[in-house]
Amino acid sequence: MLLLIKIKKQMNKNYYKLFQYLFIIICFLLITKTILEEKEIHNIMFNVDVYKFFPAVIISVFLILVYSQMIFRISKQTTSLDISKKKWIYIFLNSQFFDTVPFAGFIYKAVNLKKYKLEYKYFLFIYAFIFYSWIILYLFLFFIDATIISIYFGMIKYFYISIIFLITSLIFFFSIKVIHYFSNKLSSNFIVLLKIKELVLFTNKNLIKKNILVFIKSGTLIHILEFILYYSVINFLQLDLSFKVIFTIFFVNSFVDFFPITPKNIGISELISGTLMSLIGFNFTTGVLIRIFIRLSSIFATIFLFLINNMFFLNNEK
């Protein structure tokens, strides 16, 4: 019976992966078809200055490092992890590079951090806690973004959207406390429920001021850097876009990427970005190129940090 359940779960995973790959292929077919019809890619890329792409890569480097430090501080404050900042950076940056293969970086990080007193269970708990806290924070940041659009640009519908984001953020914040209260009322020896109760207890216990401040400071900085990254890429492509349009592109793409359907929303982000640009009076190709170069900046930053990280580590080992 257990064997049949495992086989069924594996089949469901395979079907989901197949669905993701098919979705990516369909997205890229639609993107390619539209770009070929517009015939704008040559005009856009002909005028770019390659050197203007460097600032985007530098910003992506800072994004990775800020994210690394946030996870480091949260991990140290919530578990018995005993590791120096230098060794943490080495493991984290390598895991970012290995993440080019799905789950490879995640597994690499879990295995290596176990050497520094971080059990697999708490490794998973930390990432679940970070994911939950990230939802709360980004819903609140989306509230601020939508409020800025509604007030600064005089678009009242975004004010109503901002209220929805704020309410949803508050619901998520207080939901763990409600779940924790009712989970304490339940008594069960079923191992899955016991693990869920442990996770709920861990999350509720660590949703305290010092951890919340780490998320607010790091998350806000990351959000601002992401906007600057969009601005930098648009400047590199020499697109004449107003602040209003740039902010709208950033807001919509940030929201879309918050709900990944495919790995890192490959294909979907590009398709939606292109469609958005078409709807606000620009060509589809422009939106796709913005997303592609956002991705490329992250890839180049990851490779750069991986090489520097390992060169520095090898030199110290000698």
Side-chain angles (χ1 to χ4, degrees):
M1 186 66 181
L2 287 173
L3 181 61
L4 288 172
I5 292 171
K6 286 181 180 179
I7 292 170
K8 189 176 179 180
K9 283 183 179 178
Q10 187 61 44
M11 286 177 68
N12 288 336
K13 285 182 182 178
N14 291 337
Y15 285 138
Y16 182 66
K17 284 182 181 178
L18 181 62
F19 166 76
Q20 286 183 318
Y21 293 141
L22 287 172
F23 210 89
I24 291 169
I25 291 167
I26 291 167
C27 285
F28 275 108
L29 285 174
L30 289 170
I31 289 166
T32 305
K33 179 178 178 293
T34 310
I35 287 175
L36 291 174
E37 287 174 353
E38 284 187 342
K39 299 178 180 178
E40 287 288 334
I41 192 165
H42 179 266
N43 294 332
I44 298 170
M45 295 305 299
F46 184 75
N47 295 316
V48 300
D49 182 354
V50 175
Y51 293 105
K52 284 189 175 181
F53 188 57
F54 290 155
V57 177
I58 293 167
I59 294 163
S60 290
V61 166
F62 279 109
L63 275 167
I64 293 169
L65 293 176
V66 172
Y67 187 63
S68 164
Q69 288 309 296
M70 182 192 74
I71 298 175
F72 174 69
R73 290 185 65 187
I74 292 295
S75 301
K76 291 278 282 185
Q77 289 175 184
T78 58
T79 67
S80 57
L81 177 66
D82 184 17
I83 188 172
S84 67
K85 191 175 285 189
K86 186 173 74 173
K87 287 178 180 176
W88 166 269
I89 286 286
Y90 175 75
I91 293 169
F92 183 86
L93 294 182
N94 281 348
S95 74
Q96 287 293 107
F97 180 77
F98 296 142
D99 264 338
T100 49
V101 178
F103 299 110
F106 190 76
I107 294 167
Y108 168 86
K109 201 156 34 186
V111 170
N112 280 275
L113 291 178
K114 194 175 189 299
K115 301 171 187 175
Y116 300 95
K117 300 180 182 178
L118 184 63
E119 296 298 323
Y120 293 137
K121 179 178 75 173
Y122 287 106
F123 175 81
L124 293 172
F125 281 7
I126 286 169
Y127 273 85
F129 174 59
I130 290 171
F131 178 71
Y132 168 75
S133 303
W134 209 241
I135 291 173
I136 296 168
L137 175 64
Y138 258 68
L139 284 169
F140 184 74
L141 291 173
F142 289 149
F143 154 71
I144 295 173
D145 291 342
T147 303
I148 291 170
I149 293 173
S150 67
I151 295 171
Y152 187 76
F153 303 130
M155 301 170 74
I156 192 65
K157 63 182 178 181
Y158 278 93
F159 176 73
Y160 301 126
I161 294 171
S162 73
I163 297 301
I164 293 170
F165 283 133
L166 178 60
I167 293 169
T168 310
S169 179
L170 291 171
I171 288 170
F172 268 96
F173 180 81
F174 289 108
S175 64
I176 194 67
K177 300 188 180 299
V178 175
I179 294 168
H180 178 250
Y181 174 78
F182 284 107
S183 66
N184 284 336
K185 303 280 184 183
L186 295 173
S187 57
S188 173
N189 293 323
F190 188 46
I191 190 164
V192 175
L193 286 177
L194 290 174
K195 293 297 179 187
I196 291 172
K197 282 181 72 174
E198 277 189 77
L199 175 57
V200 169
L201 176 63
F202 178 87
T203 304
N204 185 64
K205 184 180 74 173
N206 289 300
L207 201 63
I208 54 177
K209 184 178 178 180
K210 68 175 182 178
N211 292 330
I212 291 170
L213 286 174
V214 171
F215 282 119
I216 291 173
K217 289 176 183 177
S218 301
T220 303
L221 180 56
I222 287 168
H223 200 57
I224 292 169
L225 286 172
E226 284 173 343
F227 173 74
I228 297 171
L229 177 60
Y230 270 85
Y231 184 87
S232 179
V233 167
I234 288 167
N235 182 55
F236 157 68
L237 293 171
Q238 298 189 33
L239 303 172
D240 187 19
L241 303 178
S242 66
F243 180 81
K244 175 182 176 180
V245 171
I246 296 171
F247 197 87
T248 304
I249 294 166
F250 164 71
F251 172 69
V252 172
N253 279 307
S254 297
F255 180 71
V256 168
D257 285 344
F258 198 69
F259 303 98
I261 297 171
T262 60
K264 298 188 178 180
N265 255 359
I266 294 173
I268 295 172
S269 291
E270 287 76 8
L271 184 62
I272 289 176
S273 183
T275 304
L276 174 65
M277 292 300 285
S278 299
L279 291 173
I280 59 179
F282 296 88
N283 60 65
F284 180 89
T285 306
T286 300
V288 173
L289 287 175
I290 290 170
R291 280 302 305 162
I292 287 173
F293 280 101
I294 292 286
R295 286 195 193 280
L296 285 175
S297 70
S298 179
I299 291 168
F300 290 150
T302 301
I303 293 170
F304 170 75
L305 286 171
F306 173 76
L307 294 173
I308 294 296
N309 184 42
N310 282 277
M311 285 169 61
F312 178 76
F313 182 79
L314 289 172
N315 287 334
N316 281 356
E317 288 290 295
K318 288 179 181 179

